[in-house]
Amino acid sequence: MTSHSDSSANADVDYDVLIVGGGMVGSMLAAALASGSSLRIAVLEHQEPEPFVPGTQPPYDVRVSALSIATQRMLENVGAWQGILDRRACPFRQMRVWDGEADGSTHFRASDIGAPELGHIVENRVLQLALLDTIKAADSVDYLCPASLVAYHLDGDWVICELSDGRASVSTRLLVGADGARSTVRELAGIELERSSYPHHALVATVQTQLDQQDITWQRFQPTGPEAMLPLCGHRASLVWYHDEEHVAQLKAMNDEDFIEALQSAFPAELGGIEKVLERGSFPIVKAHAHHYVAERVALVGDAAHTVHPLAGQGVNLGMLDAAALAEVILDGVTSRQDPGQRRLLRRYERWRRGENTMMISILDGFYHAFKPQPVGVRSLRSTALNVADRAGPLKSLVMRYAMGTAGDLPALARQLR
């Protein structure tokens, strides 16, 4: 445990890094820091996820993520990947994309670039639990749950944090906001957010299918929004249907029989019939980007810094790259005996990840606008572009590598296995 000046002597505990939010991204950051240093780390989480004992098969959660190969490498490097495989994960080796208004389509196969798979579909709870196993086993990490940040103030080189769990306070060299789109850390730090809502909501459903597990993700772009199918283990699939708020509310209110009929009219026959709806939910779609990722002794990662359109499933993967990049910057600084909360270090992280994320937000926004209702000529060009992309070897490989998270300026944790 580190020590500090008498000016913050009223604090109960001292840390080098305090991470607010023990979800997927916050836990990845803690695991990356713990595996590469002797830093004293705390993770605050307001509610621990429901347990999922390896070897059991509880019901599927409705919220799942398409984890990229880069994210898989990071999880392997911090020792969390096996915990996911021990619970539940479904590999996918193909991606098919259709234009719902024309004949344009693209079919990506992992074998085209010599890869065993393109990624894995994993329940968010499974990912979080596997990372929690990792950080709870680390001597340098204190997992404080239930606890949340109420307020903080700066005291010299320290951030004095007031928590909700009754202790007087804790102090840290660096406060990290990994606390989601409604980040308390971001608000307390006074970091402004550029935010806009899409005119769509996302309906998500877990269904039981006639066919056994497939290895393909399917997405059709309609003027009303994308429709996607993600494979799960066994006779299970996760469906995502983007539409306006009123239509999504109507779909949610349908009885199971009518809901299944609506789904089967939208999804192609080769995916197999839907036998049963296991769970469904919905959420609004928002694009947001913080003006800054850092403030005085504060850094933001994941949804606290940015939210993107989920049509390509990149939200969690971008957050994981944030965590790995911030960990790399901090660890590089510690190696040269720098304070982990130094503004110079944090600015390096901000320049790195804000540029990468800005580009991805623009790409995803471009996809959304390209498939809105368009004149016939534009629809024809759009469809032709998909067909050309399907036949253009180098371009297709580049798109696949971005989808797999293996392109761009990657943190070392995501580039290769240790």
Side-chain angles (χ1 to χ4, degrees), residues 73-101:
R73 288 175 185 164
M74 289 185 273
L75 291 163
E76 289 176 316
N77 281 327
V78 301
W81 183 246
Q82 190 59 48
I84 290 173
L85 297 182
D86 288 344
R87 290 178 171 90
R88 200 158 51 195
C90 178
F92 61 94
R93 300 176 178 86
Q94 304 176 71
M95 295 187 298
R96 294 186 68 185
V97 180
W98 277 277
D99 186 337
E101 289 191 297

Side-chain angles (χ1 to χ4, degrees), residues 254-388:
M254 288 179 178
N255 60 44
D256 283 357
E257 183 179 350
D258 291 341
F259 185 58
I260 289 173
E261 183 177 344
L263 290 175
Q264 294 194 147
S265 67
F267 289 87
E270 60 261 40
L271 298 180
I274 296 170
E275 295 181 332
K276 188 177 181 181
V277 178
L278 303 175
E279 189 176 358
R280 54 180 131 164
S282 67
F283 56 90
I285 303 172
V286 174
K287 175 181 69 174
H289 206 186
H291 290 185
H292 301 283
Y293 284 15
V294 301
E296 191 67 29
R297 296 199 170 271
V298 171
L300 305 178
V301 292
D303 285 357
H306 50 79
T307 56
V308 301
H309 198 294
L311 62 87
Q314 290 302 308
V316 169
N317 295 311
L318 293 177
M320 292 296 195
L321 289 170
D322 290 348
L326 181 57
E328 183 173 322
V329 167
I330 291 171
L331 295 177
D332 284 351
V334 169
T335 300
S336 57
R337 300 184 179 279
Q338 296 184 60
D339 181 335
Q342 264 189 5
R343 189 63 175 258
R344 183 172 56 181
L345 276 183
L346 301 182
R347 285 284 294 137
R348 179 186 159 202
Y349 158 71
E350 179 177 57
R351 288 192 300 269
W352 183 358
R353 288 305 302 161
R354 199 173 191 283
E356 292 282 319
N357 290 333
T358 297
M359 181 178 68
M360 184 57 70
I361 290 171
S362 297
I363 290 171
L364 296 176
D365 208 37
F367 265 105
Y368 162 74
H369 288 290
F371 285 93
K372 291 197 304 185
Q374 301 284 3
V376 174
V378 175
R379 293 201 303 266
S380 178
L381 286 173
R382 184 180 67 199
S383 185
T384 299
L386 281 175
N387 289 327
V388 169

Side-chain angles (χ1 to χ4, degrees), residues 10-316:
N10 292 329
D12 289 338
V13 187
D14 304 338
Y15 294 100
D16 296 299
V17 182
L18 190 150
I19 302 165
V20 180
M24 299 174 287
V25 174
S27 295
M28 169 58 81
L29 175 59
L33 290 172
S35 66
S37 73
S38 58
L39 290 172
R40 184 70 169 156
I41 304 154
V43 176
L44 269 61
E45 174 57 29
H46 70 280
Q47 183 177 2
E48 193 160 346
E50 290 293 322
F52 183 137
V53 179
T56 65
Q57 292 297 321
Y60 269 91
D61 289 341
V62 74
R63 296 299 293 268
V64 303
S65 294
L67 302 187
S68 69
I69 296 300
T71 294
Q72 178 182 334
R73 288 175 185 164
M74 289 185 273
L75 291 163
E76 289 176 316
N77 281 327
V78 301
W81 183 246
Q82 190 59 48
I84 290 173
L85 297 182
D86 288 344
R87 290 178 171 90
R88 200 158 51 195
C90 178
F92 61 94
R93 300 176 178 86
Q94 304 176 71
M95 295 187 298
R96 294 186 68 185
V97 180
W98 277 277
D99 186 337
E101 289 191 297
D103 61 354
S105 66
T106 301
H107 192 169
F108 301 101
R109 299 175 182 84
S111 58
D112 292 343
I113 56 173
E117 60 264 328
L118 297 174
H120 287 75
I121 307 300
V122 177
E123 295 153 82
N124 290 1
R125 176 171 63 122
V126 167
L127 174 54
Q128 184 179 359
L129 286 169
L131 282 164
L132 286 181
D133 288 346
T134 301
I135 65 174
K136 285 180 178 180
D139 292 337
S140 60
V141 179
D142 286 346
Y143 180 67
L144 310 179
C145 180
S148 57
L149 180 70
V150 175
Y152 80 82
H153 68 273
L154 298 173
D155 185 355
D157 293 339
W158 293 88
V159 185
I160 312 303
C161 302
E162 180 185 343
L163 308 186
S164 64
D165 63 353
R167 71 185 68 211
S169 63
V170 297
S171 59
T172 181
R173 294 284 191 185
L174 173 62
L175 177 65
V176 178
D179 48 346
R182 298 180 178 180
S183 171
T184 297
V185 174
R186 186 186 66 233
E187 291 183 5
L188 291 174
I191 297 175
E192 295 184 358
L193 188 72
E194 184 176 341
R195 185 181 187 276
S196 59
S197 297
Y198 290 97
H200 289 155
H201 279 223
L203 175 76
V204 290
T206 305
V207 298
Q208 180 176 311
T209 58
Q210 293 174 351
L211 298 180
D212 201 353
Q213 175 183 320
Q214 299 190 51
D215 67 351
I216 183 170
T217 67
W218 176 90
Q219 190 163 53
R220 178 170 67 179
F221 284 90
Q222 296 279 66
T224 52
E227 300 158 349
M229 189 284 291
L230 308 175
L232 300 175
C233 300
H235 292 258
R236 300 287 188 273
S238 176
L239 304 182
V240 190
W241 195 335
Y242 302 88
H243 214 294
D244 63 70
E245 182 178 1
E246 182 179 355
H247 188 72
V248 166
Q250 291 171 355
L251 289 169
K252 279 186 67 178
M254 288 179 178
N255 60 44
D256 283 357
E257 183 179 350
D258 291 341
F259 185 58
I260 289 173
E261 183 177 344
L263 290 175
Q264 294 194 147
S265 67
F267 289 87
E270 60 261 40
L271 298 180
I274 296 170
E275 295 181 332
K276 188 177 181 181
V277 178
L278 303 175
E279 189 176 358
R280 54 180 131 164
S282 67
F283 56 90
I285 303 172
V286 174
K287 175 181 69 174
H289 206 186
H291 290 185
H292 301 283
Y293 284 15
V294 301
E296 191 67 29
R297 296 199 170 271
V298 171
L300 305 178
V301 292
D303 285 357
H306 50 79
T307 56
V308 301
H309 198 294
L311 62 87
Q314 290 302 308
V316 169

